[in-house]
């Protein structure tokens, strides 16, 4: 049942989502629209397609505006912020591939750190003081712990993770200067899709996909899977990680948005995952076999150097402050990714990105 008074309040709030056409950003936009917020998507479509958000935009024609805009262009960003009377910025745009960040460190630094710094300066200039940021569990890096909470010291191991840490520091300085409100969410491993609006992981860079999409693709193309080590001290000998459904992540961002709207002059950093007990590599293989209804072949090799057996995030802080409680399990993560990948997305995704989304797109 709709809560009309809540929708009326939210309809007066204009939320700008950088990277709003991307995997997580588009799911956040869907959740925010469902709750009655006005959403302004800013994306340069460097790692996404306008078509991905077409169905969502059509479902909420009065709630969503889409701007094709690079966030590094501060003048362009400020024009949009002023024109759309933005109340909150959810910052999702950036480059996200850990491996690639070693090869393209300068480009990553520019799109991740410089862009975030510029955005914060523009907000300060225009008096916008509510900010939500997507950081990453990779900031903990080589911390020597299996179960990390927000007090765990950070030991980032890649340029990407170091850049996320630097962004967090930039946000802390901004918050002190502006007396604004900021929430940083350190995401674990988002998986799955919204199958109502067909919002899944459709990154242009297919070579750098997450573990679940990678495994499903291999199985669908008839290639065998390979497990790095079956002798870890875990329930089945394979490594255990923290996976969270992308729609649960979108819920966390929506709760964070409500919180920054209501509060003032603070900054919180929260882990955002699904916590214990996590899922093992064999759990994922078993679930893929279940969803695809086929036997999945795999071979086992030695452990990779540096692979930790268990790495999970403690989500008690976000649970107690934002009342975040992920509800979707591994089956829903694999099932929805599979539906998105095979039945829903592919026939609708021609290999081009110059489509116009009705009148909502401003270029
Ligand atoms: N997906 C994950 O596993 C994961 C995990 C932890 C943190 N994160 C972080 O969450 C955020 C979103 O991740 P995602 O998986 O949705 O990534 P994504 O690549 O699907 O989405 C990012 C969006 O930002 C856009 N973009 C990139 N650079 C831009 C620029 N300069 N100007 C305008 N738009 C730009 C891309 O076109 C894309 O649509 C990223 O900051 C990422 O580092 C992601």
């Amino acid at each position: 049942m709709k809560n009309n008074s809540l929708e009326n309040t939210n309809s007066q709030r204009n939320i700008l989502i950088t990277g709003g056409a991307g995997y997580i950003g588009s799911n956040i936009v869907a959740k925010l629209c469902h709750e009655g917020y006005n959403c302004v998507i800013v994306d340069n479509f460097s790692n996404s397609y306008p078509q991905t958000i077409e169905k969502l935009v059509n479902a909420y024609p009065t709630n969503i505006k889409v701007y094709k805009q690079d966030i590094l262009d501060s003048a362009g960003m400020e024009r949009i912020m002023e024109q759309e009377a933005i109340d909150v910025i959810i910052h999702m745009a950036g480059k996200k591939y850990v491996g690639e960040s070693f090869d393209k460190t300068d480009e990553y630094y520019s799109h991740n750190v410089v862009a975030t710094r510029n955005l914060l300066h523009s907000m300060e200039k225009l008096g916008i003081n509510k900010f939500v940021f997507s950081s990453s569990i990779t900031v903990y890096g080589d911390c020597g712990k299996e179960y990390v909470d927000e007090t765990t010291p950070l030991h980032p191991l890649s340029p990407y993770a170091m850049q996320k840490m630097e962004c967090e520091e930039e946000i802390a300085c901004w918050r002190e200067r502006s007396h604004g409100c900021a929430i940083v969410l350190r995401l674990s491993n988002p998986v799955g899709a919204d199958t109502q609006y067909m919002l899944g992981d459709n990154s242009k860079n297919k070579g750098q996909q997450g573990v679940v999409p990678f495994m499903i693709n291999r199985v669908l193309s008839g290639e065998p899977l390979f497990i790095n080590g079956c002798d870890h001290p875990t329930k089945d000998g394979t490594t255990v990680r923290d996976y969270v459904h992308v729609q649960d992540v979108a819920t966390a961002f929506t709760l964070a948005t409500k919180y920054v709207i209501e509060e003032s002059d603070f900054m919180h950093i929260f882990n955002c995952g699904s916590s214990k007990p996590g899922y093992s590599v064999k759990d994922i293989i078993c679930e893929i076999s279940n969803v695809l209804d086929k036997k999945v072949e795999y071979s086992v090799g030695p452990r990779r150097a540096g692979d930790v057996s268990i790495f999970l995030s403690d989500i008690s802080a976000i649970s107690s402050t934002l009342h975040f409680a992920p509800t979707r399990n591994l089956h829903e993560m694999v099932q929805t990714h599979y539906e998105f990948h095979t039945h829903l997305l592919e026939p609708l995704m021609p290999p081009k990105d110059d489509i116009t989304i009705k009148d909502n797109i401003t270029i």
Side-chain angles (χ1 to χ4, degrees):
M1 199 169 65
K2 281 187 172 180
N3 180 340
N4 286 330
S5 65
L6 179 70
E7 283 204 358
N8 287 343
T9 318
N10 292 346
S11 69
Q12 295 156 16
R13 303 294 188 179
N14 301 327
I15 319 295
L16 189 154
I17 305 96
T18 72
Y23 174 38
I24 306 171
S26 60
N27 276 278
I28 295 170
V29 173
K31 179 72 179 165
L32 289 171
C33 287
H34 181 71
E35 304 234 342
Y37 291 97
N38 297 322
C39 291
V40 177
I41 292 175
V42 171
D43 205 299
N44 66 359
F45 300 107
S46 57
N47 199 34
S48 55
Y49 301 88
Q51 297 98 313
T52 308
I53 50 170
E54 190 173 15
K55 195 171 181 201
L56 177 64
V57 172
N58 288 341
Y60 293 100
T62 57
N63 290 68
I64 303 179
K65 288 187 183 169
V66 185
Y67 286 88
K68 182 174 182 183
Q69 168 71 49
D70 196 300
I71 56 165
L72 279 164
D73 167 11
S74 294
M77 289 299 294
E78 286 170 18
R79 268 197 303 278
I80 297 170
M81 290 181 207
E82 278 191 304
Q83 196 170 308
E84 301 297 342
I86 294 303
D87 297 297
V88 180
I89 293 186
I90 302 179
H91 182 30
M92 307 302 295
K95 300 216 166 272
K96 66 171 175 178
Y97 302 114
V98 171
E100 194 179 60
S101 73
F102 287 94
D103 303 326
K104 300 183 176 175
T105 307
D106 290 348
E107 188 182 331
Y108 266 65
Y109 191 84
S110 171
H111 283 265
N112 291 341
V113 181
V114 176
T116 302
R117 193 183 294 144
N118 290 355
L119 197 55
L120 293 167
H121 281 144
S122 296
M123 290 175 68
E124 218 172 333
K125 192 168 146 189
L126 301 178
I128 301 168
N129 66 357
K130 315 274 183 189
F131 192 67
V132 183
F133 177 67
S134 57
S135 186
S136 161
I137 197 176
T138 58
V139 293
Y140 295 110
D142 188 13
C143 62
K145 286 177 75 177
E146 294 180 342
Y147 194 51
V148 291
D149 67 21
E150 294 82 356
T151 64
T152 304
L154 308 185
H155 292 284
L157 293 172
S158 64
Y160 170 81
M162 281 188 271
Q163 290 161 11
K164 285 293 185 194
M165 189 176 77
E166 194 170 334
C167 286
E168 292 186 3
E169 289 162 3
E170 290 281 346
I171 296 164
C173 295
W174 166 83
R175 208 273 311 164
E176 280 190 14
R177 287 195 311 269
S178 67
H179 302 288
C181 317
I183 289 188
V184 169
L185 298 182
R186 291 178 179 158
L187 309 184
S188 58
N189 302 292
V191 185
D194 172 327
T195 49
Q196 184 180 3
Y197 302 114
M198 293 182 269
L199 307 170
D201 188 353
N202 190 34
S203 301
K204 288 185 173 172
N205 192 341
K206 300 284 184 232
Q208 305 260 347
Q209 283 180 319
V211 63
V212 174
F214 173 79
M215 283 181 164
I216 291 179
N217 286 350
R218 278 189 80 89
V219 173
L220 288 174
S221 58
E223 292 171 274
L225 297 180
F226 186 78
I227 299 179
N228 296 300
C230 265
D231 57 350
H232 288 272
T234 58
K235 60 177 181 174
D236 58 20
T238 63
T239 51
V240 170
R241 296 288 182 270
D242 185 349
Y243 300 93
V244 58
H245 197 288
V246 69
Q247 288 181 292
D248 284 327
V249 173
T251 298
F253 275 91
T254 306
L255 292 169
T257 303
K258 281 182 196 159
Y259 199 84
V260 294
I261 287 171
E262 284 161 12
E263 303 292 330
S264 60
D265 205 1
F266 71 92
M267 173 169 169
H268 279 306
I269 297 181
F270 295 125
N271 289 340
C272 180
S274 61
S275 199
K276 280 182 179 168
Y279 297 107
S280 70
V281 174
K282 279 192 180 168
D283 285 337
I284 297 171
I285 293 176
C286 185
E287 200 50 64
I288 292 174
S289 170
N290 176 23
V291 167
L292 271 59
D293 195 20
K294 70 186 274 190
K295 189 170 179 338
V296 175
E297 305 290 343
Y298 62 86
S299 54
V300 179
R303 287 188 196 191
R304 275 186 311 206
D307 254 1
V308 291
S309 301
I310 299 173
F311 191 63
L312 298 170
S313 60
D314 179 339
I315 59 165
S316 24
I318 190 172
S319 304
S320 63
T321 309
L322 300 186
H323 309 295
F324 171 64
T327 58
R328 296 161 180 89
N329 60 21
L330 184 63
H331 173 73
E332 287 155 296
M333 296 181 213
V334 174
Q335 176 74 39
T336 56
H337 175 79
Y338 175 60
E339 282 180 36
F340 169 76
H341 177 78
T342 57
H343 303 300
L344 301 176
L345 185 72
E346 284 199 321
L348 294 169
M349 196 56 61
K352 60 178 186 176
D353 61 0
D354 57 354
I355 190 170
T356 301
I357 303 171
K358 284 192 158 182
D359 296 328
N360 297 72
I361 192 156
T362 308
I363 300 179

